[in-house]
Amino acid sequence: MTHILFDDEHLLAIDKPLGLLSVGSDEERQRTALVVPREAPSRPGRAVALWPIHRLDRETSGVLLFARSRAVRDQLQKDWSNTVKVYVAIVEGLPDPAAGTIEQPLWEDQNLRVRVGARPGAKQARTRYQTTHRGPCRSQLEVHLDTGRKHQIRAHLAWLGHPIVGDDRYGTSDVRLCLHAQRLVVRHPTHGQDLCIEAPPPPVLPRAL
């Protein structure tokens, strides 16, 4: 069952589990993060209309936010660059220095793989990271996503030489992709105050250290 983290008249946030699409695709339309909250609304007997504000990769768990109207969705997406987006990642190796900023453009090749480097059509991307725990040969990072490009964290950390554990696209496979959207801070669409929504990382992540 999908855990609801926040629910009011304007917004709904869930802790998206591993393996669930944020929205439907041509191949899968039934079991998505958009459909599941509609099937189990917090207000029985009332129709549930939801609009996705952002997306998470299928392999990424954590905070996923929906709007209850198009107007709220448009308002938050317009201000999305000011949203605080914090992730937890378990990576291979021990980054040195332990904290830093990756500012490298990203582009997508014909096989839908995101590449790092400057070229016509590449989009600027900025990722900040800080090591919070070290294991014998892996590290836990707190990652701040300053831009929202496809596979940004995964591609940037692999470019750094520290791919995310379990990333079979940019690194090597493991029990799961060890990337979790832990915290989202948005400006509430009505009262304008910051709304902080958090989802604790699943136990498998720290165990992967």
Side-chain angles (χ1 to χ4, degrees):
M1 181 176 178
T2 303
H3 181 55
I4 293 177
L5 302 171
F6 180 83
D7 187 6
D8 71 3
E9 293 294 327
H10 306 282
L11 300 169
L12 183 142
I14 66 169
D15 185 356
K16 187 188 85 64
L18 171 74
L20 198 63
L21 284 173
S22 295
V23 296
S25 67
D26 291 339
E27 293 78 23
E28 184 172 343
R29 294 188 179 277
Q30 298 301 315
R31 300 301 298 175
T32 70
L34 182 60
V35 172
V36 170
R38 286 173 173 166
E39 295 178 345
S42 59
R43 299 177 179 87
R46 295 180 56 179
V48 178
L50 298 173
W51 285 263
I53 298 171
H54 65 122
R55 299 187 183 193
L56 297 176
D57 293 342
R58 180 198 288 268
E59 304 92 340
T60 303
S61 57
V63 181
L64 186 62
L65 187 63
F66 299 94
R68 291 190 175 275
S69 71
R70 290 190 181 92
V72 168
R73 178 200 62 187
D74 293 346
Q75 180 179 344
L76 265 67
Q77 286 183 341
K78 184 178 180 180
D79 194 43
W80 198 245
S81 62
N82 294 317
T83 299
V84 176
K85 302 170 283 288
V86 182
Y87 290 70
V88 174
I90 308 297
V91 301
E92 302 287 359
L94 310 176
D96 183 18
T101 300
I102 306 169
E103 292 190 83
Q104 291 291 329
L106 301 174
W107 56 277
E108 192 172 354
D109 67 18
Q110 60 183 3
N111 297 316
L112 305 182
R113 182 185 176 94
V114 175
R115 304 287 185 174
V116 180
R119 60 164 285 167
K123 297 179 179 180
Q124 292 299 316
R126 186 173 191 262
T127 304
R128 293 177 289 128
Y129 70 91
Q130 180 169 348
T131 303
T132 56
H133 296 89
R134 289 181 182 265
C137 57
R138 291 174 171 175
S139 303
Q140 178 173 313
L141 307 183
E142 179 178 285
V143 182
H144 290 250
L145 193 61
D146 291 343
T147 53
R149 310 303 183 194
K150 178 182 176 181
H151 292 181
Q152 177 178 322
I153 296 174
R154 298 166 65 179
H156 267 174
L157 291 178
W159 173 85
L160 190 67
H162 300 283
I164 298 174
V165 172
D167 192 345
D168 56 5
R169 181 180 290 259
Y170 302 99
T172 57
S173 61
D174 205 293
V175 63
R176 64 156 286 176
L177 176 70
C178 291
L179 180 63
H180 178 79
Q182 181 179 32
R183 185 182 313 122
L184 196 66
V185 183
V186 300
R187 187 175 301 161
H188 195 278
T190 56
H191 54 63
Q193 297 180 351
D194 283 346
L195 172 65
C196 180
I197 306 169
E198 296 197 51
V204 67
L205 261 69
R207 287 202 298 264
L209 276 176

